[in-house]
Amino acid sequence: MPGFEFWGDEERKEVNDVLETGILMRYGFDGPRKGIWKSKELETEICNTFGCKYAQLTSSGTAALTTAMAALGIGYGDEVIMPTFTFVASFEAVISVGAIPVLVDINETLTLDPLAVRAAITPKTRCIMPVHMCGSMADLEALMDICREHNLVLLEDACQSIGATYNGKKVGTIGDAGTFSFDFVKTITCGEGGVVMTNNESLYVKCDGYTDHGHDHAGVDRGADLHPFIGYNYRISELHAAVGLAQIRKLDQFLEIQRANQSVLKNILSAIPEITFREIPDGGVDSCTFLSWFLPTEEITKTVVEQLKEAGILAGNFYWYNNNWHYISKWDHLKNADFLNGQGTEITNTLKQLATKSFPASDRVMSRCISTAISLGWSESQVNEKGEKIADIVKQVLSKTMVTMG
Ligand SMILES: *Cc1c(COP(=O)(O)O)cnc(C)c1O
């Protein structure tokens, strides 16, 4: 799953190029950097690898989402529709630009349910932000139809699905803008980093300035740049970009291993008729960072999770329903509007209303879902062994449940 598993001489070489000159910043110092521009090089590689016209690196995936939203003009009073199952960064970014996150149900794709999205649209809605969780994507055709009908912006949070495709295009390059994260546990890593991708030149120019204090990057040197708008510092460093450059060249290899390992695991679990799998939308190809599977009931799933824990093989099998980072049921800090500083009443009131809302459709999906992380380092016999152990536990739990029920 994460690129850090394949750290090696390639990464060391790229980082060393930067250490030789000591120019750790991505802008300026044209003479002393001796032609070393790792961030620019990585942006070009991202455009070539994923098939987008423009790429703006950032210091994190969260910063990439914030940057994309600001550049798309999403701000105070605007509503952004997003799923109940994601990583906390998705709503953090919405709040950071002064907008309001509107959480809606997911379905068995583990991403936004287009019907729930439709039902959540108000006159304030500006943006739909699907989050392509755990290697696979939302039903983008359906979401794009809704965006066209209601004149909304589509921002893809593709942080977890680097390399997945939809109708032949890489996810993250299909909406008005899309983002990847290159944090330490993502498919490819920079240590920390992220990117905004788009085919829209003026949007890209805004992202470029926003991540660097509003600099227009048009002067003869940084001191001569103008500032057409207010920005922040969300820059990536040359050291981080250097790591990413080595990693992106290994992406095809990572994806190939993930697909092979996922398919072995899926074959083993498919032999159990009670197990079903995460739905992939028509035209979609999973990046296979996880295998996400469902059991018939919440009770059976919880028992299987307990048994996996008892057998010492829970690590790498994620039960998101009970997870503090990924599912709305545990986001108390969001529902309490626990901010360090003062915020508008509109945002705090909206968030506090979340505490009174329930999401039974999402609960029905998430309470039965286990995602098994696919490691790059597994040998074929290790995948087989893992799969067989999981399958044995599931069969035991199922047979006991059947006896009780019978
Ligand atoms: C990792 C992640 C992010 C943000 O990434 P960071 O680089 O850690 O800030 C955003 N959204 C999702 C779904 C993620 O998994």
Side-chain angles (χ1 to χ4, degrees):
M1 184 188 124
F4 78 73
E5 293 180 277
F6 276 20
W7 174 268
D9 288 343
E10 303 82 1
E11 285 77 3
R12 279 188 283 273
K13 190 253 162 208
E14 294 299 325
V15 173
N16 216 40
D17 288 347
V18 179
L19 294 178
E20 289 292 333
T21 66
I23 305 303
L24 312 185
M25 184 176 177
R26 70 163 299 178
Y27 296 114
F29 303 91
D30 295 27
R33 69 167 60 244
K34 298 190 179 125
I36 306 282
W37 298 91
K38 296 298 180 189
S39 308
K40 280 191 186 172
E41 221 183 312
L42 179 54
E43 285 167 349
T44 304
E45 289 260 357
I46 288 169
C47 291
N48 294 338
T49 303
F50 299 101
C52 56
K53 282 196 188 148
Y54 307 100
Q56 177 63 48
L57 285 168
T58 56
S59 51
S60 71
T62 314
L65 285 169
T66 298
T67 299
M69 280 184 237
L72 287 163
I74 297 163
Y76 178 72
D78 293 331
E79 292 179 353
V80 176
I81 294 180
M82 54 164 286
T84 52
F85 174 50
T86 178
F87 178 55
V88 288
S90 311
F91 64 71
E92 290 166 359
V94 176
I95 294 168
S96 77
V97 297
I100 296 172
V102 175
L103 284 111
V104 311
D105 274 320
I106 54 141
N107 58 23
E108 292 206 357
T109 64
L110 301 184
T111 67
L112 281 177
D113 176 355
L115 292 174
V117 170
R118 253 179 213 287
I121 290 174
T122 75
K124 289 183 180 173
T125 310
R126 276 292 312 281
C127 173
I128 300 177
M129 181 171 68
V131 184
H132 306 314
M133 285 300 278
C134 306
S136 179
M137 73 294 306
D139 182 348
L140 286 167
E141 280 295 341
L143 297 179
M144 284 188 287
D145 281 347
I146 301 174
C147 285
R148 273 188 291 266
E149 261 173 58
H150 295 270
N151 195 24
L152 307 174
V153 158
L154 186 75
L155 169 58
E156 293 175 82
D157 179 343
C159 290
Q160 289 203 6
S161 294
I162 299 173
T165 63
Y166 180 79
N167 289 342
K169 288 184 183 163
K170 298 285 198 300
V171 304
T173 67
I174 296 165
D176 296 282
T179 63
F180 290 150
S181 161
F182 302 127
D183 79 20
F184 196 54
V185 295
K186 296 305 203 283
T187 307
I188 54 177
T189 186
C190 292
E192 297 284 1
V195 68
V196 183
M197 294 171 290
T198 182
N199 292 316
N200 176 330
E201 183 178 7
S202 84
L203 194 70
Y204 159 70
V205 170
K206 288 173 189 164
C207 292
D208 176 63
Y210 193 76
T211 52
D212 188 24
H213 305 295
H215 278 260
D216 66 358
H217 298 138
V220 288
D221 58 47
R222 281 181 74 70
D225 283 350
L226 299 177
H227 302 89
F229 53 80
I230 292 170
Y232 296 92
N233 177 1
Y234 293 140
R235 294 187 303 257
I236 195 164
S237 83
E238 284 286 277
L239 288 171
H240 293 90
V243 175
L245 205 46
Q247 288 262 303
I248 199 172
R249 293 174 184 143
K250 299 179 179 179
L251 177 62
D252 283 343
Q253 183 198 357
F254 293 171
L255 293 172
E256 201 177 306
I257 296 171
Q258 285 177 179
R259 292 196 167 117
N261 286 348
Q262 199 220 45
S263 131
V264 172
L265 198 63
K266 191 170 182 179
N267 273 341
I268 296 170
L269 297 187
S270 299
I272 302 174
E274 288 86 352
I275 290 182
T276 56
F277 296 94
R278 181 239 188 106
E279 209 177 286
I280 313 276
D282 285 345
V285 179
D286 188 356
S287 77
C288 300
T289 47
F290 287 90
L291 178 67
S292 296
W293 43 288
F294 302 108
L295 288 157
T297 67
E298 174 175 345
E299 197 195 343
I300 292 174
T301 313
K302 285 191 164 151
T303 314
V304 166
V305 169
E306 270 164 35
Q307 296 298 314
L308 289 170
K309 194 172 181 181
E310 213 152 280
I313 53 169
L314 186 63
N317 291 291
F318 293 90
Y319 186 46
W320 309 113
Y321 193 54
N322 275 346
N323 182 292
N324 288 348
W325 284 11
H326 290 282
Y327 188 57
I328 188 166
S329 57
K330 292 292 176 78
W331 294 337
D332 291 338
H333 65 317
L334 180 72
K335 293 183 261 189
N336 294 331
D338 285 329
F339 289 104
L340 287 179
N341 51 2
Q343 304 283 329
T345 48
E346 195 179 358
I347 181 80
T348 47
N349 290 343
T350 311
L351 294 180
K352 284 178 179 166
Q353 277 167 23
L354 271 179
T356 64
K357 271 197 185 160
S358 59
F359 293 90
S362 299
D363 288 347
R364 269 196 299 280
V365 174
M366 296 312 298
S367 64
R368 298 183 298 107
C369 178
I370 295 174
S371 295
T372 305
I374 305 297
S375 172
L376 296 175
W378 290 340
S379 65
E380 199 176 327
S381 65
Q382 281 173 319
V383 198
N384 272 302
E385 197 184 319
K386 270 200 182 278
E388 296 299 346
K389 275 188 185 163
I390 296 172
D392 283 346
I393 286 173
V394 171
K395 280 186 229 163
Q396 273 173 32
V397 173
L398 285 171
S399 68
K400 271 182 207 152
T401 321
M402 301 307 176
V403 170
T404 336
M405 279 161 58

